[in-house]
């Protein structure tokens, strides 16, 4: 059941991030061409800004799930194997705490934006729901960070990925 949930969360994040990046590129391209013809897209900046926010927050979950973030082990090659394992475990716990804190801060910001009725500058979209979407996607990143706790490793080791049925190396 957990694998099925994870699969659909990954599909959701990939869909959101993929659509957002394509949408940003199309809007930027068409707007740049329109500016040359003195017909820019009205509100293009706002469209790109909201799409960038969606892309960024959807990508966080994917990066955490794949354990692709940059992690620097200070002089990790000088540690004995046990010390490297301890550092790896502490690092993973700190990552979960940091992601949970980030998610909480984004939910808090979304709550404030909603409470104060903050709207975007051009189209006057309410900003709270957009930031709540980002907070939910960050919470998905927290979920994947918690799952990474089950894969203890030292700094620099990549997790061994399980092959899915029908998948080849």
């Amino acid at each position: 059941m957990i694998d099925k949930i994870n699969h659909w969360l990954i599909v959701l994040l990939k869909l959101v991030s993929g659509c957002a990046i394509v949408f940003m590129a199309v809007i930027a391209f068409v707007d740049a061409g329109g500016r040359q013809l003195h017909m820019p897209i009205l509100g293009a900046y706002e469209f790109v800004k909201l799409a960038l926010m969606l892309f960024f927050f959807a990508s966080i979950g994917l990066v955490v799930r794949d354990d692709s973030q940059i992690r620097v082990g200070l002089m990790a090659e000088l540690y004995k194997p046990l010390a490297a394992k301890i550092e790896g475990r502490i690092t993973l716990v700190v990552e979960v705490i940091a992601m949970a804190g980030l998610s909480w801060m984004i939910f808090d910001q979304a709550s404030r934006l909603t409470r104060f009725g903050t709207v975007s500058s051009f189209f006057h979209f309410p900003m709270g729901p957009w930031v709540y979407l980002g907070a939910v996607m960050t919470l998905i990143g927290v979920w994947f960070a918690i799952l990474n706790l089950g894969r203890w490793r030292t700094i620099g080791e990549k997790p061994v990925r399980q092959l899915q049925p029908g998948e080849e190396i």
Side-chain angles (χ1 to χ4, degrees):
M1 182 67 182
I2 297 288
D3 290 336
K4 190 166 259 201
I5 292 170
N6 288 343
H7 169 76
W8 287 109
L9 289 174
I10 292 163
V11 167
L12 173 72
L13 294 177
K14 285 181 177 180
L15 182 69
V16 169
S17 63
C19 289
I21 196 83
V22 169
F23 180 75
M24 281 189 301
V26 168
I27 289 293
F29 179 77
V30 172
D31 185 52
R35 287 180 189 275
Q36 297 302 317
L37 302 171
H38 304 291
M39 297 183 306
I41 296 175
L42 296 176
Y45 168 75
E46 201 161 288
F47 283 134
V48 170
K49 182 171 64 172
L50 293 174
L52 180 62
M53 184 199 70
L54 290 176
F55 171 74
F56 175 77
F57 287 115
S59 297
I60 286 177
L62 295 172
V63 167
V64 171
R65 191 264 328 221
D66 290 339
D67 202 27
S68 301
Q69 63 270 33
I70 296 172
R71 188 181 295 122
V72 178
L74 301 176
M75 299 181 288
E77 64 277 351
L78 301 177
Y79 298 163
K80 295 191 188 261
L82 178 62
K85 279 189 177 192
I86 291 170
E87 181 191 25
R89 291 177 179 165
I90 290 170
T91 302
L92 287 172
V93 170
V94 169
E95 287 173 7
V96 169
I97 293 169
M99 284 294 299
L102 177 65
S103 183
W104 176 79
M105 289 170 53
I106 297 169
F107 270 109
D108 184 53
Q109 184 64 32
S111 172
R112 289 179 195 189
L113 291 171
T114 302
R115 205 171 44 241
F116 296 132
T118 305
V119 295
S120 62
S121 56
F122 189 80
F123 291 114
H124 302 288
F125 292 143
M127 294 304 295
W130 290 94
V131 179
Y132 273 122
L133 279 173
V136 167
M137 287 186 273
T138 306
L139 196 58
I140 294 170
V142 172
W143 168 250
F144 287 131
I146 290 169
L147 291 179
N148 281 343
L149 284 174
R151 300 184 286 183
W152 298 117
R153 64 190 158 282
T154 58
I155 298 294
E157 282 183 345
K158 289 311 248 181
V160 177
R161 193 170 147 274
Q162 298 285 333
L163 291 178
Q164 300 300 320
E167 187 176 76
E168 295 183 26
I169 297 177

